[in-house]
Structures are given as C-alpha cells and as structure tokens.
Amino acid sequence: MTRSESAPQPAVRKRKSKWRGWWLKQLHSWHWMSAAISLVGMLLFAATGITLNHAASIGATPVVTDRAGTLPPPLLRTLRTPAATDAPLPAPVAAAVDRAVGLDPAGRPGEWSDADVYVALPRPGGDAWVSIDRASGAITSETTSRGWIAYLNDLHKGRNAGGAWSWFLDIFAGACILFTLTGLLLLQLHARHRPTTWPIVAAGVVIPTVLILVFIH
C-alpha cells in the first residue's frame, strides 16, 4: 500500500472521533436537562407507585366535614328560572356558595331537579358536593378527605386533578421518555468499555417479561 492510499485513514478516524464527541456532548446535555426537569416528578411517582401497590394495607380514616348556609333572597330568584339539567350555577350564586361554605362550584355542571341543584366537586384525595334548595335557598355541603397519601396517589393517577395537572403529566412523561432514550444511546456509546452493559439492559427486559408470562394470568 502506498503512502497516498494510507493517508486518508487518519483523517477519517479524526472525523469519526469528532462526530462521536459531538454526539456525546449533545446526548449528555439532553440527558441531564431531562433528568433535572423530571427529577422531582420521578421521585414522586416512584414513591406513589409503592403506596398504590400497597394501597389495601395502608389504612386511612376519611374525615368528613359538613357545612351549611343560606343563599341571599335576591339570588334565590335565579335558581327558580328553568335551566338545562346540567347547567352550572350562575356566577353570583357560585360566589355566594363559596362565601357560605368554602367550596367553589363555579363552572361545574349541576344536577337540576324540581327541588334542588346538586353540584359534585370531586378532588384528589377526597370528594365534596354542594346542594341548594331551590325553594328555601338552604345550602348544604359535605367535604371528605382521605389524607395525604390518597391525595398523592390520585395525583399519580391524574384523578380529578384538572387540566393543568393533565398537561404537566404529558410534559413530564415526555421528559422521562427523553431521559431514558438518551440514556440508552449513551449506554451504546460507552458499551465497548463496559462489557456488562447489554446483559444488564437485557435483564431489565427479561425479568418483567418472565413475570408477566409466568405469574400474571
């Protein structure tokens, strides 16, 4: 082989090394940024994964709070006007209910009957409802709290947590996917210097697969 034929090889190796270094830098950057974004969320979801898995053995005594009030007479007339069966309370009525019993039913669908209007107010870790007598204006309400563990478990499931939390879950899930994919690519780039890399990755696939096939029916 002549000198002219062997000369390009160092240049090719240099380009490959430069390209590999660029990819390493990019992957490390995306990996640590996605880890930083999802760190607290992953800790929360890992912890609540344990509590959900043992929910039957974690005792909780619901705390029920009842409150009552009366709707001001001028507002009572607005409830006597026929409404759609699932229409929300008029804004002034919802504000008055909030002041009277500390629950805000604004914008929530109501269940209108001839006797009353009932508004369900489900929430993470508990439940609540408000009922208004359409004739007398009497307000009754009930709030149930099942504790912090139930609250965090419901956040884990996205139960009754609202649109903002739903968006957070989607963004958090995307950050976790980015974190795991960049981690897998980094493993590939470093695997030749760490021979146990792929056996450990394979174990992470094989173990849950065997558990599903053998123990889950």
Side-chain angles (χ1 to χ4, degrees), residues 3-73:
R3 182 182 297 273
S4 60
E5 291 173 335
S6 60
Q9 295 304 319
V12 171
R13 287 196 299 270
K14 185 176 180 181
R15 284 197 299 271
K16 286 183 178 180
S17 178
K18 184 177 180 180
W19 183 247
R20 185 175 184 275
W22 183 88
W23 266 112
L24 272 173
K25 182 178 179 181
Q26 294 300 314
L27 289 173
H28 276 294
S29 296
W30 285 105
H31 191 65
W32 78 257
M33 285 190 292
S34 59
I37 291 172
S38 57
L39 178 63
V40 174
M42 282 194 288
L43 180 61
L44 171 66
F45 276 75
T48 51
I50 296 173
T51 57
L52 281 168
N53 197 39
H54 298 276
S57 59
I58 300 175
T61 303
V63 177
V64 180
T65 303
D66 296 316
R67 292 182 179 177
T70 303
L71 198 65

Side-chain angles (χ1 to χ4, degrees), residues 61-175:
T61 303
V63 177
V64 180
T65 303
D66 296 316
R67 292 182 179 177
T70 303
L71 198 65
L75 295 177
L76 186 57
R77 288 193 295 270
T78 64
L79 296 185
R80 292 173 179 162
T81 303
T85 55
D86 60 349
L89 293 173
V93 174
V97 170
D98 190 11
R99 290 192 297 269
V101 296
L103 294 174
D104 185 8
R108 302 292 188 98
E111 298 178 17
W112 294 70
S113 69
D114 292 337
D116 61 10
V117 186
Y118 174 89
V119 182
L121 301 169
R123 58 189 58 199
D127 202 357
W129 57 264
V130 171
S131 178
I132 309 173
D133 189 296
R134 295 179 68 179
S136 66
I139 304 170
T140 55
S141 71
E142 181 179 282
T143 304
T144 303
S145 175
R146 297 190 298 272
W148 280 102
I149 292 179
Y151 179 81
L152 294 175
N153 285 347
D154 283 349
L155 289 183
H156 182 114
K157 295 181 288 186
R159 177 180 178 270
N160 300 321
W165 185 254
S166 178
W167 274 103
F168 167 77
L169 290 181
D170 288 342
I171 295 170
F172 165 72

